[in-house]
Amino acid sequence: MLDKNNIFHDLIVEVRTLTASHNPIPLFEDLHLDFLDGECHFTTSMRTLLMMSKVIEDTLNLHKKRCSLYSGFQELSRFKEHRERYTKLAASADQIFVIGVADTPVEEIADNVHIRTKNADIIRNNWISIIKDKNINISLIAQELTSQEHHGGYIGFYTNSKAITEKAVNLLIDNNVLSDDPVSGKQACFNI
C-alpha cells in the first residue's frame, strides 16, 4: 500500500491514473494537462527500475556537462557500492546530487558531486533518479511498498515529461531535501 504521507504519493497516483486510462480525456479535470508533454510508463518491476536508473545515469555520457542528476539512496551506505560509477559519471555531469540518510561518511568524489543529507529521511522510502537540463527531462520516481511482515517491492513510473520532471525536482526543493546549496568549486559534504 502506498504511504499517503510520502512527498511523491500524489505524483505517483496521478501518473498511475494517466497511464491506466487508454482515453485520458475524462481525466483532464483531475490531472494536469502539462503532464501530457511526454510519455509515462508505470511499473512495479524492480528490473525495470534498475534498468531505467542506469539509462538515466548513462544519459549524462551522451550530453556531456549539460545535465544535472538527482539520485536518491535510502542511506549513504547504499551509495558506497555505486561510488566508483558516480566518480566516472561526474566527468560528464553538470551537477550530481546524491541524496541519502547520513549513516556513514562519504569521501569527496568531485567538485560537481554534492551529498545531500538534510531531510533525506523524507525520501528514504523512494527510488529516485532524475536527469534534467533545458531540453532533457527524464525521471524515475517509485515508492517502496512495505508491510509489517516484509518488504513489498516498489510502485512508480518513469517518464520523459518535462512537467512531471520539474514537479519532482520542485518537490525535492520545496521539502528542503536539496536545501544545502552547493558552493561553486567545493564539495558539499558532512562529517559524522
Side-chain angles (χ1 to χ4, degrees):
M1 177 167 237
L2 283 173
D3 175 6
K4 292 181 180 180
N5 295 319
N6 188 288
I7 68 169
F8 294 107
H9 174 270
D10 292 344
L11 188 59
I12 291 170
V13 169
E14 287 182 69
V15 171
R16 182 182 193 179
T17 303
L18 180 63
T19 59
S21 175
H22 296 289
N23 179 12
I25 293 170
L27 304 172
F28 284 171
E29 290 179 16
D30 299 327
L31 297 172
H32 301 301
L33 289 176
D34 292 346
F35 284 11
L36 300 175
D37 71 345
E39 290 188 31
C40 298
H41 302 277
F42 198 76
T43 187
T44 57
S45 165
M46 294 279 286
R47 276 187 164 165
T48 300
L49 292 169
L50 184 58
M51 179 197 69
M52 286 309 300
S53 290
K54 298 279 189 220
V55 166
I56 289 169
E57 292 169 357
D58 288 343
T59 300
L60 289 174
N61 295 323
L62 298 173
H63 305 281
K64 295 203 183 299
K65 296 294 186 184
R66 287 182 40 202
C67 301
S68 292
L69 174 67
Y70 304 84
S71 292
F73 293 85
Q74 292 177 322
E75 294 92 18
L76 290 181
S77 57
R78 292 181 181 222
F79 172 71
K80 284 196 170 201
E81 70 183 79
H82 302 279
R83 187 179 187 286
E84 185 177 322
R85 178 171 169 71
Y86 274 66
T87 300
K88 291 175 185 172
L89 289 173
S92 298
D94 177 34
Q95 302 291 318
I96 295 177
F97 297 89
V98 174
I99 307 160
V101 173
D103 65 333
T104 187
V106 174
E107 295 175 26
E108 185 173 323
I109 297 170
D111 289 343
N112 63 337
V113 178
H114 311 284
I115 308 300
R116 297 292 182 250
T117 58
K118 186 176 180 181
N119 295 323
D121 58 318
I122 294 171
I123 63 161
R124 183 180 222 155
N125 295 328
N126 293 101
W127 188 324
I128 299 167
S129 187
I130 300 170
I131 190 167
K132 182 169 177 16
D133 87 337
K134 289 181 238 171
N135 300 313
I136 300 161
N137 297 278
I138 308 170
S139 55
L140 177 148
I141 306 290
Q143 183 179 342
E144 184 177 18
L145 298 172
T146 56
S147 66
Q148 293 178 352
E149 294 84 37
H150 64 286
H151 171 71
Y154 287 85
I155 187 168
F157 64 88
Y158 57 96
T159 184
N160 65 347
S161 165
K162 180 179 182 179
I164 293 174
T165 299
E166 287 178 351
K167 186 170 184 177
V169 171
N170 286 336
L171 283 167
L172 293 172
I173 293 167
D174 294 346
N175 286 278
N176 295 317
V177 176
L178 300 174
S179 62
D180 298 336
D181 292 331
V183 178
S184 181
K186 185 176 179 187
Q187 168 81 17
C189 60
F190 67 97
N191 294 314
I192 294 182

